[in-house]
Amino acid sequence: MRLDLVRNLLLAAVLGAFTVACGDSATSGSGHADDDGMHTHDPGDPNAGDELARAACHGLHGEGTVVEAALDHAGAADVVLMPGDTTWIVQLPDGAPSFATLMLPTEHTDWAIFVDHPGVVVSITSHETNDRFDVTPENPNEACPDDMRVDARVHVHSDGHHILEFSADGAREIRFQMRAESQGHGGHEADMVAQAACVLAQGAHTMIAAASTPEAALAGDVMMTGDSIYHVMLPDGPAWAAVHLPTDHTDWAFFVSEPNLALSVANDDVGSFGITPHDPNAACPETFQVDSRIHIHSAGVFLVEFSESGPGHVLFNVASESEGHDGGHDDHDDDGHDDDGHDDDGHDGHDA
């Protein structure tokens, strides 16, 4: 696996609004800027980061994504981690420091790092600038301290390619999560899901051929998931591809390079939901012209229907925006989502 073929990325269910995070004074450290220019997290507020901590605990006991850390920076190109709702299960070599690639979709961001063993995650270093940001287990995770013992807050000024360093001793298998606490100068909100899709799109794309019938799509060997940018080759006439959505009660973000090519996503249990280009992807509109957010109440295998006309290929990505009724979706929420999964007007899509 190369850097641009990151697996099992179900991006970016970053909960809560993003707020202004930083000044321009320091290049490394953790948390917020002190008078001396260093960034430190204030441990005096017992409620700081509770929402992020609860989210980390919520995803802790899932299946997780297993990766093996590399012995050097070159090998780390094959071990790619990204922030979001994925719990990474990192296997470490005995008696030697090890490394992984960490792709950060936004700059000037306060990151919350959760680890089940203190002292194992050492630092984050920018591949481009060599700026190093130490990861210190300054706070216990009050939401589930027995499971995720480390709650470290690190302010990183750069986005893109970073090296994540692990210690030579301590636990040799850890669970790791990273979530955005706040982002950006000037008060601009970060759409982490869109940013992550744009980062992935800069690399190579997984090539698949759409089928001419729904039955053929369901029987095919390739199943789209949220871990890749898919370059879908479309036959003449109507076309279908299968996509696996692994969690129920989830807001899904669909990104498509051409408007009106991906028409809907559907399965027999919950019906059909239109993939509507009501929002441009502001993060990289030249790459993904369609940014469609859809709340779907059921997990499973879904059929994506493509238009009969238009270009013979399309870039396609799906990622989780937020997950679960615990994330704010009740059986009937303020948006008008009923328990049957539909809005009052019968359409399940909603604006981002």
Side-chain angles (χ1 to χ4, degrees), residues 52 55 59 89 96 106 109 129 134 164 166 184-185 190 210 238 260 271 288 291 295 322 337 342 348:
L52 294 173
I89 302 172
T106 54
T109 300
T129 66
D134 293 330
L164 188 63
F166 304 99
H185 292 301
N260 304 316
F288 288 121
D291 177 350
H295 184 84
S322 62
H337 291 93
H342 295 281
D348 201 2

Side-chain angles (χ1 to χ4, degrees), residues 284-300:
C284 56
E286 71 284 353
T287 302
F288 288 121
Q289 295 187 38
V290 176
D291 177 350
S292 185
R293 310 297 170 105
I294 304 172
H295 184 84
I296 299 179
H297 281 247
S298 176

Side-chain angles (χ1 to χ4, degrees), residues 18 41 47 59 96 101 107 112 152 157 160 258:
F18 297 96
H41 184 72
N47 296 315
T101 292
E107 60 183 6
H157 283 255
E258 297 283 344

Side-chain angles (χ1 to χ4, degrees), residues 37 122 196 264 303:
V122 176
S264 65
L303 279 169

